[in-house]
């Protein structure tokens, strides 16, 4: 089975690209074997989203982080599989929470079967990740437990929404750091730790990866509004149709400018199909987009500051290039 494509990191070192491709191939092989079960249906349900694709972004970051120590150290590939299994499990659960009919261009598990199967499959993947993790040591088990706690808290915060009188933007950023940033931070932390990198390197890589994770999601928020379908590969306004208040929407809703009254009215709930084009046009021209882009850049700058103190090796250059790519892809 061929490895998925390496995340598009501009100006990546040729040897590093080979190392990442080889590492991802090993991760992919172990990932597929780890979801096998004596029960054919459990295997089928577990491989459902696995075979739907994905660039293994978290595994790629972990392999990059391992470059700051010994990238061939025992446990690096297994650690990346733990990360990917955890991420995959959250997708099964997220689709139930969101009642999503499609994931990665294929029917979601809850749509193909039902919510119970989707939830139990996610639980099975978490269990498989835990079994592999048990061989990697108590420190990583503790990190994974804290990460899982953050993932759940982020989901709860998102479900409940901001408290009365709370800052909706601050609440949203906290949700992103927990739901998205936490596992991406752990990807970097696992890679650096398992490769034997020094503690100060582990800390910097962890901080940088969390910031990159938040920035990536903020970029997705902008792409959903700004990018034509042909450029982004997805239909613009998906979040608007679902009534999801992403960062540009939150900034627009917070505006007190009378000229924004029509936009605020359109954004008050899920946007009907007949109003999507008008909403996109107004939102694209609104200062909220630039505000959101500045917040994205604040997070990539934070990542760059952490990376600046790392050894000057190709992996650091690749991570710095990734920071720039996260900004560029957002339009």
């Amino acid at each position: 089975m061929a490895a998925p494509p390496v995340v598009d990191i501009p100006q990546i070192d040729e040897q590093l690209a080979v190392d990442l491709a080889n590492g991802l191939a090993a991760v992919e092989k172990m990932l597929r074997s780890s979801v096998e079960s004596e029960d054919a249906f459990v295997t089928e349900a577990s491989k459902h989203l696995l075979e739907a694709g994905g660039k293994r972004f978290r595994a790629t970051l972990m392999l990059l982080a391992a470059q700051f120590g010994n990238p061939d150290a025992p446990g690096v590939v297994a650690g990346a599989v733990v990360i990917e299994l955890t991420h995959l499990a959250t997708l099964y659960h997220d689709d139930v929470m969101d009642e999503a009919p499609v994931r990665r261009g294929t029917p979601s598990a809850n749509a193909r079967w039902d919510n119970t199967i989707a939830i139990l499959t996610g639980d099975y993947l978490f269990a498989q990740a835990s079994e592999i993790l048990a061989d990697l040591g108590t420190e990583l088990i503790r990190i994974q437990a804290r990460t899982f706690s953050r993932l759940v808290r982020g989901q709860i915060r998102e479900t409940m929404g901001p408290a009365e009188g709370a800052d909706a933007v601050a609440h949203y950023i906290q949700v992103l750091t927990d739901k998205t940033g936490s596992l991406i931070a752990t990807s970097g932390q696992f890679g650096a730790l398992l490769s034997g990198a020094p503690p100060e390197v582990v800390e910097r890589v962890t901080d940088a990866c969390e910031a990159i994770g938040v920035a990536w999601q903020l970029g997705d928020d902008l792409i959903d509004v700004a990018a034509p379908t042909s450029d982004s590969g997805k239909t613009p306004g998906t979040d608007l149709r679902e009534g999801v208040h992403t960062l540009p929407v939150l900034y627009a809703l917070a505006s007190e400018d009378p000229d924004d009254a029509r936009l605020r009215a359109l954004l008050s709930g899920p946007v009907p199909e007949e109003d999507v084009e008008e909403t996109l046009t107004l939102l694209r021209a609104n200062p909220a987009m630039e505000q959101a882009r500045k917040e994205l850049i604040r997070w990539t700058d934070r990542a760059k500051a952490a990376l600046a103190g790392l050894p000057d090796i190709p992996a650091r250059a690749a991570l710095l290039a990734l920071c720039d790519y996260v900004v560029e892809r957002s339009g």
Side-chain angles (χ1 to χ4, degrees), residues 81-122:
V81 172
V82 169
I83 293 293
E84 286 296 335
L85 284 172
T86 302
H87 174 57
L88 198 61
T90 65
L91 299 184
Y92 280 84
H93 288 179
D94 280 352
D95 287 344
V96 173
M97 295 287 295
D98 299 339
E99 299 180 354
V102 176
R103 168 70 69 173
R104 292 175 174 171
T106 196
S108 61
N110 46 299
R112 179 172 175 180
W113 293 290
D114 57 30
N115 284 348
T116 300
I117 295 298
I119 292 169
L120 291 174
T121 303

Side-chain angles (χ1 to χ4, degrees), residues 24-310:
L24 284 172
V27 170
E28 194 72 11
K29 182 178 180 180
M30 185 176 180
L31 183 59
R32 289 176 178 275
S33 66
S34 70
V35 301
E36 295 282 351
S37 168
E38 295 177 359
D39 188 309
F41 179 75
V42 173
T43 301
E44 179 187 3
S46 299
K47 285 187 173 180
H48 179 64
L49 289 185
L50 182 61
E51 293 178 344
K55 286 190 175 182
R56 309 292 184 252
F57 180 60
R58 290 153 188 79
T60 301
L61 285 181
M62 181 168 168
L63 294 174
L64 280 171
Q67 293 285 323
F68 292 96
N70 174 13
D72 298 319
V76 169
V77 169
V81 172
V82 169
I83 293 293
E84 286 296 335
L85 284 172
T86 302
H87 174 57
L88 198 61
T90 65
L91 299 184
Y92 280 84
H93 288 179
D94 280 352
D95 287 344
V96 173
M97 295 287 295
D98 299 339
E99 299 180 354
V102 176
R103 168 70 69 173
R104 292 175 174 171
T106 196
S108 61
N110 46 299
R112 179 172 175 180
W113 293 290
D114 57 30
N115 284 348
T116 300
I117 295 298
I119 292 169
L120 291 174
T121 303
D123 291 345
Y124 172 73
L125 294 173
F126 279 130
Q128 295 302 97
S130 298
E131 183 176 0
I132 297 169
L133 188 62
D135 293 329
L136 298 180
T138 56
E139 183 176 9
L140 272 75
I141 293 172
R142 186 177 298 109
I143 293 168
Q144 175 78 344
R146 290 171 178 166
T147 303
F148 192 52
S149 176
R150 289 186 66 189
L151 286 167
V152 174
R153 292 201 308 270
Q155 183 63 68
I156 291 172
R157 285 193 182 100
E158 182 179 56
T159 302
M160 297 302 295
E164 185 76 26
D167 184 335
V169 169
H171 174 270
Y172 181 71
I173 295 297
Q174 185 61 58
V175 167
L176 291 193
T177 57
D178 287 337
K179 271 196 68 178
T180 302
S182 63
L183 187 58
I184 294 178
T186 299
S187 304
Q189 191 172 16
F190 272 21
L193 277 171
L194 288 166
S195 72
E200 62 272 17
V201 170
V202 175
E203 183 177 356
R204 284 184 173 275
V205 169
T206 304
D207 290 346
C209 286
E210 176 154 331
I212 288 170
V214 175
W216 188 277
Q217 184 57 56
L218 292 174
D220 282 350
D221 289 357
L222 288 163
I223 289 169
D224 188 61
V225 176
T229 304
S230 58
D231 291 345
S232 65
K234 62 181 285 191
T235 303
T238 298
D239 292 327
L240 298 178
R241 292 176 176 86
E242 297 173 358
V244 177
H245 285 178
T246 58
L247 191 60
V249 171
L250 290 173
Y251 280 135
L253 287 171
S255 171
E256 297 180 355
D257 188 335
D259 292 340
D260 293 337
R262 172 60 179 166
L263 177 58
R264 291 196 299 269
L266 289 167
L267 295 173
S268 60
V271 179
E273 187 62 40
E274 62 269 20
D275 291 333
V276 168
E277 194 57 44
E278 180 189 1
T279 306
L280 285 171
T281 299
L282 291 173
L283 191 51
R284 286 166 179 165
N286 194 275
M289 292 293 286
E290 184 58 29
Q291 287 179 277
R293 184 174 173 80
K294 286 180 179 178
E295 180 66 14
L296 182 159
I297 293 171
R298 189 175 75 83
W299 283 94
T300 56
D301 284 348
R302 174 175 163 177
K304 288 180 178 180
L307 294 169
L310 292 176

Side-chain angles (χ1 to χ4, degrees), residues 317-329:
L319 289 166
L320 286 168
L322 179 58
C323 291
D324 292 334
Y325 174 67
V326 171
V327 176
E328 290 165 5
R329 72 186 276 272

